[in-house]
Amino acid sequence: MSEAETETNKVVKSKDISAFLNSEEERDFNEHSKALYNAFNTLIVKASSLEELKCLKDLFEQQKKNFKNNDYANIKDSLRKKIYECL
């Protein structure tokens, strides 16, 4: 994939995400929580330093209200385990 195609894909994805987050439509809370859960899991697994994990933790705490209780607890536990692995 060329660099131009990559840039185009990023822009489209960013617009899609912005439209989703800013939409006035009623969203299914479970669907939104699941998407956040999957995104944070992916970011935690791919994090390679304590600094990255610290930034993720801060972002995670800002999104706390958007998680279902189980998802919040599971991500928090995954984050703790990954931090421990990095020490």
Side-chain angles (χ1 to χ4, degrees):
M1 186 181 296
S2 72
E3 187 174 323
E5 289 174 332
T6 304
E7 289 299 317
T8 302
N9 288 342
K10 286 180 183 177
V11 170
V12 170
K13 288 180 181 177
S14 295
K15 287 180 183 177
D16 291 344
I17 291 168
S18 295
F20 174 76
L21 293 175
N22 294 327
S23 70
E24 299 277 334
E25 298 173 13
E26 195 66 31
R27 290 189 298 254
D28 180 18
F29 180 75
N30 292 332
E31 182 181 319
H32 185 62
S33 180
K34 186 174 183 177
L36 272 175
Y37 179 82
N38 291 335
F40 272 99
N41 260 340
T42 301
L43 291 170
I44 290 168
V45 167
K46 293 187 182 244
S48 59
S49 70
L50 286 175
E51 188 63 32
E52 287 177 1
L53 291 168
K54 182 180 181 251
C55 291
L56 277 174
K57 181 187 171 286
D58 293 341
L59 182 60
F60 173 66
E61 290 300 327
Q62 291 173 1
Q63 295 295 319
K64 180 179 180 176
K65 66 180 179 182
N66 294 318
F67 284 101
K68 294 187 303 186
N69 288 335
N70 276 352
D71 289 347
Y72 176 78
N74 290 338
I75 291 291
K76 193 170 186 176
D77 188 48
S78 295
L79 194 55
R80 285 181 186 155
K81 286 178 184 177
K82 185 69 174 189
I83 289 170
Y84 182 75
E85 289 174 7
C86 285
L87 293 176

